[in-house]
Amino acid sequence: MNHRYDHQTVEARWQKTWEDSGIYRSRVDWTKPKHYALTMLPYPSGDLHIGHWYAMTPSDARARYMRMKGYNVLFPMGFDAFGLPAENAAVQANIHPWTWTYSNIERMRRQLGSMGTMIDWSREAVSCTPEYYRWTEWFFARLYEAGLAYRGKALVNWSPTLQTVLANEQVIDGKDERTGQPVVQRMMEQWFFRITDYAEELLEFDGIDWPDPVKAMQTNWIGRSEGARVRFSVEGGEDIEVFTTRPDTLHGATFMVLAPEHPLVDLLTTPENAEAVAGYRAQAAGRSELQRTDLTMEKDGVATGGYARNPVTGQWIPVWIADYVLMSYGTGAIMAVPAEDERDWAFAERYDLPIVRTVQPPADFEGKAYAGDGPSINSDFLDGLYMVEAKEAMIRWLEDQGHGKRAVQYRLRDWLISRQRYWGSPIPVIYSQDGTMELVPDALLPVELPEDVEFMPTGRSPLTYHEDFLNTLGSDGRTATRETDTMDTFMCSSWYQLRYLSPDYAEGPFDPEEGAYWLPVDVYTGGAEHAVMHLLYTRFFTKAMRDMGLYGPTSERMRAHGRDPEGMFDEPMIMLRNQGQVLGEERPGDSVIAEGRMEGDRLYAESVTVVSDPADLPASGKAVAGEIIGRTERVMKVLPIGSQQAVTVEVLPDAEVRIAAIPGDNTVSQLRHRLDVQRMSKSRGNVVNPDDLVEEFGADTVRTYLMFAFEWEKGGPWDSRGIRGSQRFIVDFWRLGRSDYQAADTDADATASLRRTAHQAITKVGDDLERFRWNTAVAELMKLRNALNNARVERNVDPEAWQEAMSILTLLLAPIAPHVTEEVWHSLGNTGSVHLQPWPEADERAAAEEIVTMVVQVNGRVRARLEAPVDISESEALEVALAAPNVARHVKGRPIRRVIDRRPRLLNLVV
RNA sequence: GGGCGAGUGGCGGAAUUGGUAGACGCGCUGGGUUCAGGACCCAGUGAGCAUUGAGCUCGUGGAGGUUCGAGUCCUCUCUCGCCCACCA
């Protein structure tokens, strides 16, 4: 105990030993059950941040636990290495994306090494290497052949900032999800994958254990609606088809609205309206997605002058165009039923269009449009029918009369994979001069990215002006041009779990022999932010591969080894768990003066002044002045000076803001920034650097703290003091391992008690690790540490029991803190790695309690806690309970009417 | 606006099926040790009342309900978070 625990030396030594002995190499072994543990691969942005540690080290701990439980575990790692940041670095700093990416990867590999994980680096895959993207291209070719990849003209999301199109999933609130810059709609010819073909199957989550929120998000995103397609005829023109979820309200369709981009607009527009229509279309085209979807904006539109015939009423109704109708959903046209749809009501009101109720609203209904259920009215043969029956009756009528049919519509759009960027996997397609297109033959894959490229500050992809890349020959020997778009990087990550199986395999994307053993992924961990992107794409990819027969050889190998391939390739990952986010540290001490109007106990602040020191607050006259005790975005909880009751202060968007620490005029967004402790970011100065933590505390302490500090799936704010508790735990454990335990007066009870704590811990920690409950697992281990510490001081435990408990603690802690446990394992006199040991078996008898606390309640309220043997009889229990003075006092001699007997833990006397 | 989730000490969080609320840790308080600080050790720590016999009351956002018994179940309500959002 005269030595300090030198984590730096110990951790480095064991990391080297493990690497040299190759204990983390995983090999196929059909005699053992397999376990494929996967954690989302990082983008090589340059530095590993605390979030990577938070996601990866518990996953590593669980993989280690599974190995101790007897599984043959694969825990690989790689890099999702294509993407825009590399290209931006190239433009800004004149570094080639290769150089930038590779130096980052190198750095991150080192940092990953410092975590002490059991990653099998021989399985590493990097998506930007030709060996990898050869197969990304190969998959594209297969999808193309299967009709699942197609090139089409569509209105797409164009980001002027990034100079590329984006998938629907990458656009949030009309802004690019990465940079937050607005996105505009453009009509472009692009490559798509037919993910919509799988919409129905993607809604099923049978047989997979995924978190409910992720399933809900995907379901929501796919957005299945049932209804009908209805055709409205146009005099001398093509029919207008609409999709509606409310065919029962067809009698109330008093006008139609087309998206401004709808192809029939030109045909419908009368000469008198031509100018207005052209003007409106131009205006809509110029609006950003953000403006077009702004809900506060009043709906506007113009009449085309054309009319269509409502098939059920026979009436001719006017056709309008408006940009609240989206070209990308349904047919790009709607039948407007103002009485039963709020948007249509607003539009009808504004342009004085007729409104006919077809559903009787309840008597107390006061609103305008009524979208609820009710008996049909003004609807001829539907009158009196409620929604469900009316829908069915109308669909039957439409099908009988040939005016429409039952239909299912999905919100999900096809996956747009083209990117007008250099740093991505090329699309292996060439175009000949006559406009035909052909795939690059498999034998010529990969189409490699040229290295001698120059980046233009315009942001244009260098592939578009690289002559050697562009010019090629078609299969007929004539000159042809290459596709210059590259693929969305989500394409790379849709199949990486397969490449890990055999990153050097050259006969196919992965070795079927490996796939037959390891697939599918058993546990997948990562952030929930990928719920509707990566996690949806990879499911689609797996199902498409299955249907294209790409798992054929793997199935064959499975059968050869006696494993049934049935259902093995329906889903990529069986179990999914999402970690939360580590947030910036709470920053106490700010005080605030806020003025505004008070409504209830909430202040809507029109003016806000933030000071760092409450002494700076002027005495009075303000609506609220006090310390900020809670904050989220624009809402703060403020404890007024001298008050016990906190006040909620909501800062209005246009409030006047002064922040003492930031000179000059301040804005609400600065305030939000100042108050928002949510995310770590460099500009907020609240970033925690894992490298520094590892240097100061050691990887084991950081790992333990990250697992102990929060509910893993939730996350929370970093606490720079809290980590000390985990450090103490690790150092205490190391000291216990080195201490030469000498018993003095051994005591049977103390010995049994220590053994009980140890053996109970085996079960509890195992259960917790199984269920990703790291915090309670660590708490249980700390209890065992406390028990051992206590025994060491008291010296009253039998030495053999002490050794046993010490050994149990070492084994149970091994998945969480791999280095210090290895060190202690050896200092306890063991040979061989602790990480190759089996998980200990709990001795039921040692774990069993003999004496427990029996709680005695009178009428459900606790009146005594008595020590009782576990097998106490009812009569005996009653006797000791009634003998307790406090129980007797509350029974007051009344007869016991009922005894609720939960012996030996609880006895409730009802009097 | 719609969907989902969550509110427990000063803080992070515990609490199988309704059965000892606050495990474990941080922080804090008192004491010890130390040249000092840190570290370390011991004791205490939900609130209030009582007290060196005990014990009592309140307490899991709020209001009600079911039950011998509710953090847990039901109804209403408030607040926060996340996702989606003119999706016809």
Side-chain angles (χ1 to χ4, degrees):
Chain A
M1 266 142 294
N2 37 4
H3 283 86
R4 289 178 63 92
Y5 175 53
D6 178 4
H7 60 261
Q8 288 179 352
T9 311
V10 170
E11 291 185 351
R13 185 171 71 237
W14 288 114
Q15 281 166 17
K16 180 157 193 324
T17 309
W18 297 330
E19 200 187 323
D20 292 347
S21 60
I23 66 164
Y24 300 140
R25 281 299 307 278
S26 32
R27 293 183 178 83
V28 170
D29 178 356
W30 285 95
T31 67
K32 287 167 96 180
K34 68 94 182 182
H35 180 81
Y36 188 173
L38 184 67
T39 185
M40 287 181 190
L41 83 177
Y43 176 79
S45 55
D47 263 311
L48 225 51
H49 52 78
I50 199 74
H52 289 120
W53 277 74
Y54 188 60
M56 291 173 183
T57 55
S59 307
D60 174 64
R62 195 162 187 288
R64 289 174 176 281
Y65 165 74
M66 292 305 282
R67 188 153 91 156
M68 292 176 83
K69 288 295 273 186
Y71 289 89
N72 186 20
V73 176
L74 173 60
F75 186 59
M77 185 55 64
F79 294 93
D80 184 20
F82 274 136
L84 261 175
E87 212 163 322
N88 291 339
V91 177
Q92 282 156 24
N94 200 28
I95 306 169
H96 196 281
W98 262 107
T99 321
W100 186 85
T101 305
Y102 259 82
S103 68
N104 285 347
I105 287 177
E106 209 119 302
R107 186 184 171 81
M108 288 174 79
R109 269 195 206 121
R110 259 203 322 276
Q111 293 174 313
L112 283 162
S114 77
M115 287 181 182
T117 60
M118 60 170 284
I119 293 168
D120 176 0
W121 285 104
S122 73
R123 307 269 184 173
E124 185 198 44
V126 178
S127 67
C128 68
T129 58
E131 299 76 46
Y132 188 101
Y133 69 74
R134 170 184 178 189
W135 300 107
T136 309
E137 293 178 18
W138 183 87
F139 277 120
F140 175 92
R142 300 292 82 75
L143 288 163
Y144 180 76
E145 287 167 348
L148 289 170
Y150 68 95
R151 194 169 153 82
K153 222 180 165 92
L155 207 56
V156 297
N157 305 300
W158 172 263
S159 163
T161 326
L162 303 177
Q163 290 282 302
T164 183
V165 299
L166 295 168
N168 223 23
E169 288 79 2
Q170 288 164 304
V171 180
I172 310 230
D173 291 339
K175 288 178 279 192
D176 155 42
E177 59 113 9
R178 285 185 85 151
T179 63
Q181 295 302 306
V183 162
V184 296
Q185 302 282 293
R186 263 206 198 176
M187 192 61 89
M188 287 176 79
E189 184 132 340
Q190 299 284 300
W191 281 100
F192 293 89
F193 287 160
R194 283 191 208 281
I195 192 171
T196 49
D197 279 12
Y198 287 84
E200 201 62 48
E201 198 189 338
L202 288 168
L203 287 168
E204 282 165 33
F205 298 92
D206 297 345
I208 58 174
D209 173 11
W210 281 29
D212 288 337
V214 172
K215 292 194 274 192
M217 276 188 252
Q218 292 203 349
T219 304
N220 209 344
W221 186 260
I222 294 166
R224 185 180 197 276
S225 333
E226 288 180 8
R229 286 193 176 230
V230 184
R231 275 190 306 281
F232 287 66
S233 56
V234 173
E235 190 127 27
E238 230 179 286
D239 290 355
I240 303 172
E241 195 178 35
V242 301
F243 171 75
T244 177
T245 54
R246 294 292 303 275
D248 56 308
T249 63
L250 184 51
H251 288 89
T254 51
F255 61 101
M256 300 188 81
V257 186
L258 308 190
E261 301 84 4
H262 197 285
L264 292 178
V265 172
D266 286 331
L267 286 166
L268 283 157
T269 305
T270 55
E272 314 76 88
N273 295 60
E275 200 179 318
V277 167
Y280 187 80
R281 294 180 93 176
Q283 178 201 319
R287 278 187 190 169
S288 70
E289 179 73 3
L290 190 62
Q291 291 167 317
R292 279 184 69 157
T293 57
D294 184 354
L295 288 170
T296 59
M297 236 171 56
E298 221 181 313
K299 295 179 192 354
D300 59 6
V302 296
T304 60
Y307 285 81
R309 193 160 173 269
N310 181 325
V312 71
T313 63
Q315 279 181 331
W316 289 94
I317 58 175
V319 181
W320 287 62
I321 62 170
D323 65 6
Y324 79 90
V325 175
L326 309 175
M327 194 58 222
S328 48
Y329 182 76
T331 62
I334 62 159
M335 62 180 216
V337 186
E340 279 89 39
D341 184 287
E342 272 179 50
R343 294 156 300 174
D344 297 345
W345 183 290
F347 197 81
E349 225 173 26
R350 176 162 183 180
Y351 295 107
D352 212 10
L353 292 156
I355 297 171
V356 179
R357 284 206 188 274
T358 62
V359 176
Q360 182 62 54
D364 59 350
F365 180 72
E366 285 171 1
K368 296 174 173 178
Y370 176 69
D373 200 357
S376 291
I377 52 170
N378 302 322
S379 295
D380 191 11
F381 59 92
L382 299 181
D383 282 354
L385 294 179
Y386 280 70
M387 198 191 289
V388 175
E389 288 80 31
K391 270 190 191 178
E392 283 308 308
M394 181 54 85
I395 291 171
R396 234 177 295 124
W397 184 88
L398 287 168
E399 289 182 342
D400 288 349
Q401 304 291 313
H403 291 302
K405 58 177 194 293
R406 181 187 304 280
V408 173
Q409 181 67 44
Y410 301 94
R411 209 189 71 108
L412 181 72
R413 321 272 160 92
D414 275 339
W415 176 13
L416 167 59
I417 58 133
S418 301
R419 294 293 179 275
Q420 288 69 48
R421 307 306 324 162
Y422 164 77
W423 195 234
S425 179
I427 295 174
V429 165
I430 59 174
Y431 305 95
S432 35
Q433 276 161 338
D434 63 10
T436 58
M437 118 180 120
E438 57 178 298
L439 282 174
V440 175
D442 288 353
L444 298 181
L445 297 184
V447 173
E448 279 199 51
L449 288 173
E451 283 189 45
D452 56 331
V453 285
E454 255 188 89
F455 292 91
M456 304 235 276
T458 56
R460 226 175 109 198
S461 163
L463 295 179
T464 59
Y465 47 85
H466 192 285
E467 295 297 322
D468 288 349
F469 177 82
L470 274 176
N471 301 318
T472 183
L473 297 176
S475 55
D476 56 4
R478 294 197 301 171
T479 58
T481 319
R482 280 192 199 283
E483 170 67 64
T484 56
D485 285 353
T486 54
M487 288 184 244
D488 181 1
T489 58
F490 280 117
M491 173 81 182
C492 312
S493 55
S494 289
W495 69 280
Y496 76 105
Q497 70 274 18
L498 302 174
R499 193 63 190 167
Y500 282 161
L501 300 175
S502 47
D504 303 320
Y505 191 67
E507 318 303 315
F510 66 99
D511 183 349
E513 193 66 48
E514 295 275 338
Y517 181 71
W518 294 111
L519 292 178
V521 172
D522 294 284
V523 182
Y524 194 36
T525 55
E529 67 273 15
H530 286 115
V532 292
M533 294 193 277
H534 165 60
L535 290 170
L536 192 61
Y537 297 145
T538 191
R539 291 182 68 215
F540 156 68
F541 212 88
T542 301
K543 291 170 193 297
M545 277 179 67
R546 175 201 62 199
D547 293 345
M548 293 186 292
L550 299 184
Y551 286 114
T554 313
S555 300
E556 227 168 83
R557 296 315 304 149
M558 272 192 182
R559 276 195 209 92
H561 286 285
R563 187 175 176 211
D564 185 3
E566 184 58 34
M568 286 292 132
F569 310 114
D570 293 335
E571 292 284 347
M573 297 101 187
I574 305 299
M575 187 197 266
L576 172 73
R577 288 295 180 269
N578 298 123
Q579 79 277 3
Q581 221 178 15
V582 181
L583 306 172
E585 186 151 13
E586 294 280 0
R587 183 189 33 239
D590 280 342
S591 292
V592 74
I593 310 154
E595 284 179 288
R597 64 170 204 285
M598 200 77 187
E599 274 177 30
D601 56 356
R602 204 177 177 90
L603 178 81
Y604 293 86
E606 282 144 16
S607 120
V608 175
T609 304
V610 179
V611 295
S612 302
D613 185 352
D616 295 345
L617 292 177
S620 63
K622 306 291 177 185
V624 174
E627 190 190 347
I628 302 170
I629 54 172
R631 42 186 131 198
T632 41
E633 287 286 309
R634 295 202 329 264
V635 181
M636 320 176 249
K637 283 233 182 310
V638 175
L639 190 65
I641 296 168
S643 165
Q644 299 288 316
Q645 190 64 47
V647 176
T648 304
V649 174
E650 182 172 332
V651 182
L652 296 169
D654 53 352
E656 195 184 308
V657 175
R658 282 186 46 234
I659 305 167
I662 306 173
D665 291 341
N666 302 124
T667 62
V668 172
S669 74
Q670 278 177 310
L671 174 74
R672 195 181 302 175
H673 212 242
R674 168 97 188 157
L675 300 184
D676 183 11
V677 290
Q678 295 294 347
R679 282 189 194 97
M680 287 193 188
S681 77
K682 280 185 185 142
S683 59
R684 288 190 184 94
N686 59 356
V687 175
V688 176
N689 178 1
D691 288 354
D692 296 344
L693 293 171
V694 170
E695 198 186 320
E696 186 177 354
F697 301 104
D700 286 334
T701 295
V702 177
R703 289 170 62 111
T704 306
Y705 177 62
L706 287 171
M707 291 185 226
F708 179 63
F710 323 100
E711 197 185 321
W712 188 65
E713 308 205 351
K714 197 170 140 209
W718 180 257
D719 179 356
S720 55
R721 291 179 303 189
I723 194 171
R724 298 274 171 195
S726 300
Q727 188 189 27
R728 251 169 243 148
F729 171 55
I730 294 297
V731 174
D732 283 356
F733 166 71
W734 176 79
R735 290 216 178 100
L736 285 169
R738 286 167 49 93
S739 70
D740 187 13
Y741 176 72
Q742 302 278 352
D745 293 322
T746 63
D747 175 78
D749 283 350
T751 301
S753 163
L754 180 64
R755 293 201 71 211
R756 194 178 311 123
T757 307
H759 283 272
Q760 285 179 349
I762 295 173
T763 311
K764 171 75 172 139
V765 173
D767 281 357
D768 285 344
L769 295 191
E770 204 83 53
R771 293 157 59 202
F772 295 80
R773 316 222 358 173
W774 324 105
N775 55 345
T776 48
V778 174
E780 188 70 15
L781 292 170
M782 285 176 168
K783 270 194 214 168
L784 182 51
R785 176 266 316 250
N786 293 344
L788 274 156
N789 236 338
N790 199 39
R792 190 172 61 83
V793 173
E794 302 286 333
R795 307 209 294 167
N796 57 356
V797 167
D798 178 72
E800 221 169 283
W802 200 87
Q803 286 296 333
E804 183 201 22
M806 193 60 221
S807 174
I808 288 171
L809 176 55
T810 309
L811 290 165
L812 302 190
L813 182 58
I816 292 164
H819 310 87
V820 72
T821 47
E822 187 79 296
E823 180 77 5
V824 166
W825 183 249
H826 285 83
S827 65
L828 291 177
N830 298 291
T831 51
S833 174
V834 69
H835 303 299
L836 298 175
Q837 304 307 312
W839 191 252
E841 294 271 348
D843 177 343
E844 298 289 335
R845 278 176 38 215
E849 313 264 358
E850 282 161 14
I851 305 285
V852 297
T853 304
M854 182 172 75
V855 170
V856 183
Q857 299 180 332
V858 178
N859 291 337
R861 306 183 71 104
V862 180
R863 296 303 176 191
R865 293 183 173 90
L866 308 171
E867 298 282 287
V870 281
D871 55 355
I872 190 167
S873 70
E874 186 178 358
S875 56
E876 214 179 325
L878 256 173
E879 194 183 318
V880 294
L882 288 168
N886 203 41
V887 174
R889 214 154 60 81
H890 283 89
V891 171
K892 290 182 199 146
R894 287 174 292 182
I896 312 261
R897 289 192 292 141
R898 186 139 82 98
V899 176
I900 286 123
D901 181 11
R902 298 280 183 277
R903 267 176 301 135
R905 297 274 172 198
L906 181 133
L907 205 65
N908 185 7
L909 311 177
V910 184
V911 294

